[in-house]
Amino acid sequence: MTLRDWMRTFGEARSIDINNDLERGYEAALLIQTLELEYYGDRPIRPNLQLSVPRSLQSTILRKFHTAVNICRLTFEAIKPNISQLDSQEYRKFQLIETIVNRYAPKRSSRATSMSREPDPLPRSLLGLVDKVRRQLDPTSEATLVAGFRRRRDSTLISLKIILLLILVPLLVQQMSRTYLITPAIDYLAPELPFLSYPKPQLEEQAVEKLRVFKAEIEFDALLKGDSIPSQDELQKALAIKASQLKDEADKESTHAAKNVLADIAALIAFAFVCIINREELRVLRGFLDEAVYGLSDSAKAFAIILFTDMFVGFHSPEGWQVLLQGIANHFGFPARENFILLFIATFPVILATIFKYWIFRYLNRVSPSSVATLRGMNGSS
């Protein structure tokens, strides 16, 4: 292995370490925010405050709080020297961690927070500008910038690779296992194991309808050719042959449900296996997707939200849900009951719309209030 390969491997490992530390600290900061919102009225957590909850629950809350604060502090100290390598989304996560660390920083003395604190000699914004210029003139700034670019490039490549693995591996496992393993086994065992078959009444109805259409086609072809309509005996012989073919097709089709279920289970196992062996890459993918989503403009976010809600919970969604439910029922061999489909359409989209509105009210207002304002404007609400 050449020196360049060793350096590239080291850079990728360091990139993954930074991503892991940042994600761990970010999750801890979100946990602290959740505890503040749920139990302290969106105010800082005070360990000496008695909550109106059982004592065991309060001790659990404080234990989670102290653990999360320690994780945020360790993450802040580990990533602070490499802050110039962070992209915009990662820097926002780091800012949240820094906010939590500063909020719960141990107080040295009451004198430090008193009114006798000396003011800064210069405005903080001006000091920040000077520090920014100093970092840009630093001789190592170019190397740091290149290292950050390489880390983001490696993150993108890792994300694209894991996306392809999550799509292609389950799909290939499903098709290959169904074709070369499951189908021969089911066809061999189906005559001896009746529970592997579809419900017969559904297939019989379809076979009767095909037989009726076949009879009409025979008579129609005879009329087009100018021939006489086949006699009853001839027609009966043709229908008997067709009925035998339809029966064989129904017997083969009755095992499709078992084949689909087993193939889907194999694909699910393959998907879980890929997730287990690529846990670190999945964390990188999560950061990549967060950057892609939060990097959108307010109009793009509002457009995506409106598209999603109108597709699944809007006025035009019932037809889509009906087609989707019928396809799922046929895939797994269940009869597509119209009453169940109508009941599902009348309840599930309403529940989904309620959850989505609650998410907008509870979380999106805090994360991106400008996106909520843009969404209201695009919806035409005041």
Side-chain angles (χ1 to χ4, degrees):
M1 183 178 289
T2 62
L3 178 61
R4 181 177 297 177
D5 295 334
W6 279 108
M7 294 297 294
R8 181 178 180 182
T9 303
F10 176 75
E12 292 177 356
R14 185 179 179 184
S15 172
I16 294 177
D17 290 339
I18 294 176
N19 282 327
N20 293 341
D21 293 340
L22 184 62
E23 289 297 328
R24 190 162 173 258
Y26 182 66
E27 291 176 0
L30 291 179
L31 175 60
I32 293 176
Q33 279 193 339
T34 303
L35 295 177
E36 292 174 348
L37 183 63
E38 295 293 336
Y39 299 102
Y40 291 88
D42 204 11
R43 295 180 179 179
I45 297 175
R46 290 180 291 172
N48 56 352
L49 179 64
Q50 294 295 327
L51 301 177
S52 58
V53 296
R55 185 171 299 177
S56 59
L57 178 58
Q58 184 170 357
S59 62
T60 303
I61 294 172
L62 293 179
R63 186 172 62 253
K64 291 182 178 180
F65 163 69
H66 290 302
T67 304
V69 167
N70 291 331
I71 292 175
C72 289
R73 290 170 182 168
L74 293 176
T75 303
F76 179 77
E77 296 297 332
I79 298 181
K80 188 176 180 180
N82 302 314
I83 190 174
S84 59
Q85 299 182 19
L86 302 180
D87 54 28
S88 58
Q89 177 59 25
E90 292 172 340
Y91 185 71
R92 282 194 290 267
K93 294 181 180 180
F94 180 78
Q95 284 181 323
L96 177 60
I97 297 172
E98 184 179 11
T99 301
I100 296 296
V101 170
N102 294 333
R103 182 181 305 170
Y104 297 101
K107 298 180 180 179
R108 297 180 180 178
S109 63
S110 59
R111 184 178 180 182
T113 57
S114 62
M115 296 182 62
S116 60
R117 180 181 177 182
E118 296 182 0
D120 295 329
L122 293 174
R124 292 187 179 181
S125 59
L126 182 59
L127 293 176
L129 177 61
V130 174
D131 184 68
K132 182 179 179 181
V133 173
R134 181 188 61 79
R135 283 190 280 108
Q136 290 177 347
L137 296 177
D138 190 358
T140 62
S141 60
E142 182 178 359
T144 304
L145 182 63
V146 172
F149 172 77
R150 289 177 178 174
R151 191 180 63 82
R152 289 190 291 271
R153 181 194 61 185
D154 295 338
S155 174
T156 303
L157 293 176
I158 292 173
S159 301
L160 294 178
K161 184 190 74 173
I162 192 63
I163 288 175
L164 292 178
L165 287 177
L166 291 175
I167 295 175
L168 295 180
V169 171
L171 185 62
L172 292 176
V173 169
Q174 183 189 36
Q175 296 298 323
M176 295 181 66
S177 62
R178 178 185 172 91
T179 303
Y180 298 105
L181 181 62
I182 297 175
T183 298
I186 294 295
D187 292 339
Y188 177 77
L189 298 174
E192 300 178 359
L193 301 175
F195 67 87
L196 295 175
S197 302
Y198 264 68
K200 292 296 183 182
Q202 179 183 1
L203 297 177
E204 289 177 354
E205 293 177 0
Q206 298 177 3
V208 169
E209 179 64 22
K210 292 179 181 179
L211 192 64
R212 186 188 63 79
V213 173
F214 178 73
K215 179 182 177 182
E217 289 177 352
I218 292 177
E219 296 176 351
F220 184 72
D221 290 340
L223 292 176
L224 287 180
K225 296 177 181 178
D227 300 335
S228 59
I229 298 178
S231 62
Q232 189 67 25
D233 294 338
E234 295 175 349
L235 189 61
Q236 186 175 358
K237 291 179 181 179
L239 293 177
I241 297 174
K242 184 64 176 178
S244 178
Q245 295 176 357
L246 292 175
K247 179 181 179 303
D248 295 337
E249 293 177 1
D251 291 339
K252 294 180 180 179
E253 188 177 356
S254 64
T255 60
H256 285 182
K259 297 175 183 178
N260 292 335
V261 170
L262 294 177
D264 292 343
I265 292 176
L268 183 62
I269 293 174
F271 182 83
F273 181 74
V274 172
C275 293
I276 291 174
I277 65 176
N278 295 281
R279 285 177 292 183
E280 302 298 334
E281 287 79 359
L282 287 176
R283 293 183 180 179
V284 177
L285 175 62
R286 179 182 175 183
F288 175 79
L289 293 179
D290 287 343
E291 181 181 357
V293 172
Y294 287 103
L296 296 175
S297 63
D298 296 336
S299 300
K301 292 177 184 177
F303 173 80
I305 293 173
I306 293 174
L307 179 64
F308 178 83
T309 53
D310 287 350
M311 184 178 297
F312 293 99
V313 298
F315 295 105
H316 304 288
S317 63
E319 292 81 3
W321 284 112
Q322 187 172 4
V323 173
L324 179 63
L325 292 174
Q326 289 178 352
I328 293 175
N330 293 331
H331 182 76
F332 292 108
F334 299 120
R337 302 295 183 184
E338 184 177 0
N339 292 334
F340 172 78
I341 294 177
L342 294 178
L343 179 63
F344 183 90
I345 293 174
T347 55
F348 183 76
V350 177
I351 297 173
L352 189 63
T354 305
I355 295 174
F356 200 77
K357 291 178 181 178
Y358 177 78
W359 174 79
I360 292 177
F361 170 76
R362 187 69 178 271
Y363 298 102
L364 193 62
N365 267 324
R366 299 178 60 186
V367 176
S368 180
S370 57
S371 299
V372 178
T374 306
L375 177 64
R376 292 175 180 174
M378 293 179 68
N379 275 328
S381 59
S382 57

